[in-house]
Amino acid sequence: MRIFRSIIILLALFQVLWAMTGQEIMDKMEARDTGKTMHAIMKMTLIDKNGESRERIIEIWAMIYDEDKNLNQSVMEFKSPATVKGTRFLQIEQDGRNDDQWIFLPALGRVRRIAASEGNASFMGSDFSYDDMKLQSGHEGKREHDLLRDEKIGKHECYVVESRSKNGDDSQYSKLISWITKEHFIPVRVEFYDKSDGKLLKVLTIDENIEKVDGIWTVFNTQMENVRESHRTRLTTLRNAEGLPFIEYNKAIDPRRFTQNFLQTGQTK
């Protein structure tokens, strides 16, 4: 019995010594393979507190433009309905400073830069702010992360990590609490706490189905809910007649798509 107890103690000590830290978990989440390029067609559904919904179709392109620093750029184009058709949104990740963001609104007929002070504003009437839309890669150095516990959500065993900004003035949230899957290092739930009062403001959830597309773990349904306003935004990857998702990785994308000229004209020529 003494030998058995000693083995149990040694195993417990081994687990403690080799347990991952919050920072290591977030580093692994950031480093996971998301492809050098990505192209997808998605549906954005805005749902108000009465259950009334509005749908939008969006096409998205993304690519790593600096592999050494793991910096990304992405562009989003609204395809329908007519009220938002032709709206385009570009963001380019920067090293050591805020991402560059621009939006083209057809009604204005010009490209407008999104100022850092607009980070907490709603993106196209959704529950995502402009800061929420940021690509995040390389931004983890601005936050401190603490592992709170292990917890299971649905069928996923997760690490629960609390993240706080190192400089409270550069974030609209007092803290984030994330449930990161141990298998894929994908966040399946994120709670956003308001900086003004420290209370829960928004909750991001991911559908349980996480599958590989072109060898890359992929989520197909995401929801952001503003718990105070009872308003939700769903992002769903569209599928073709065979049930396959309209998403692909590591396919060639013209770099000219990630320019203000494309925002203005919708052309890469």
Side-chain angles (χ1 to χ4, degrees):
M1 285 297 296
R2 288 181 179 178
I3 294 176
F4 179 75
R5 288 176 182 172
S6 297
I7 293 173
I8 294 297
I9 292 171
L10 286 172
L11 287 174
L13 179 60
F14 179 83
Q15 289 179 335
V16 170
L17 290 174
W18 287 94
M20 296 180 67
T21 66
Q23 183 64 57
E24 289 170 338
I25 292 165
M26 301 306 281
D27 287 344
K28 279 186 171 290
M29 182 189 75
E30 184 179 344
R32 70 183 180 85
D33 184 14
T34 56
K36 293 183 178 180
T37 68
M38 184 277 289
H39 174 226
I41 301 177
M42 307 191 79
K43 177 172 66 176
M44 174 186 281
T45 307
L46 310 180
I47 307 168
D48 66 21
K49 62 182 179 181
N50 298 316
E52 300 285 337
S53 64
R54 292 176 291 155
E55 293 184 351
R56 299 162 175 184
I57 302 301
I58 306 168
E59 189 165 9
I60 303 170
W61 299 264
M63 70 181 297
I64 296 175
Y65 74 92
D66 187 328
E67 292 191 38
D68 291 337
K69 296 181 179 179
N70 193 29
L71 297 176
N72 293 266
Q73 54 190 3
S74 73
V75 67
M76 176 184 297
E77 181 174 8
F78 285 77
K79 298 293 189 177
S80 67
T83 53
V84 296
K85 184 177 180 179
T87 299
R88 303 180 189 95
F89 175 65
L90 168 67
Q91 52 185 350
I92 299 177
E93 196 173 30
Q94 301 297 333
D95 184 30
R97 64 178 179 85
N98 289 330
D99 293 355
D100 291 325
Q101 296 179 321
W102 297 270
I103 193 166
F104 172 76
L105 300 172
L108 295 179
R110 63 181 178 85
V111 175
R112 185 175 73 84
R113 186 185 184 94
I114 305 300
S117 59
E118 299 177 83
N120 62 351
S122 168
F123 172 70
M124 295 294 292
S126 74
D127 295 285
F128 294 90
S129 69
Y130 282 103
D131 280 349
D132 296 335
M133 298 297 295
K134 288 181 178 177
L135 298 167
Q136 297 307 315
S137 215
H139 289 270
E140 291 308 324
K142 297 181 179 180
R143 300 191 181 104
E144 296 177 329
H145 310 285
D146 293 313
L147 176 60
L148 301 181
R149 61 186 180 275
D150 293 353
E151 188 169 289
K152 188 173 185 179
I153 286 188
K155 61 184 179 182
H156 299 300
E157 295 289 346
C158 299
Y159 299 107
V160 183
V161 179
E162 179 178 295
S163 305
R164 292 181 180 272
S165 173
K166 292 180 179 179
N167 178 1
D169 294 334
D170 66 6
S171 174
Q172 67 188 98
Y173 307 112
S174 62
K175 66 179 179 181
L176 278 62
I177 298 181
S178 305
W179 281 254
I180 313 295
T181 62
K182 294 183 177 182
E183 181 179 2
H184 328 89
F185 286 93
I186 289 175
V188 290
R189 178 183 175 89
V190 183
E191 296 179 349
F192 301 77
Y193 290 81
D194 196 344
K195 184 168 68 174
S196 63
D197 59 16
K199 295 182 179 179
L200 181 64
L201 175 61
K202 296 191 288 190
V203 179
L204 178 75
T205 51
I206 303 298
D207 188 273
E208 284 193 9
N209 294 323
I210 300 175
E211 302 172 12
K212 280 191 174 181
V213 175
D214 298 332
I216 294 173
W217 288 113
T218 302
V219 298
F220 305 101
N221 299 286
T222 304
Q223 177 175 276
M224 179 72 91
E225 179 181 8
N226 186 313
V227 298
R228 296 184 182 179
E229 298 181 7
S230 298
H231 194 283
R232 294 170 288 155
T233 300
R234 288 180 184 164
L235 288 174
T236 306
T237 305
L238 294 184
R239 294 178 179 266
N240 61 22
E242 288 75 37
L244 299 175
F246 283 105
I247 186 167
E248 58 184 1
Y249 298 96
N250 298 320
K251 304 294 174 63
I253 298 177
D254 191 332
R256 290 175 294 184
R257 193 173 294 278
F258 305 95
T259 63
Q260 293 184 53
N261 179 67
F262 176 76
L263 288 192
Q264 182 82 41
T265 66
Q267 302 293 323
T268 57
K269 297 179 181 179

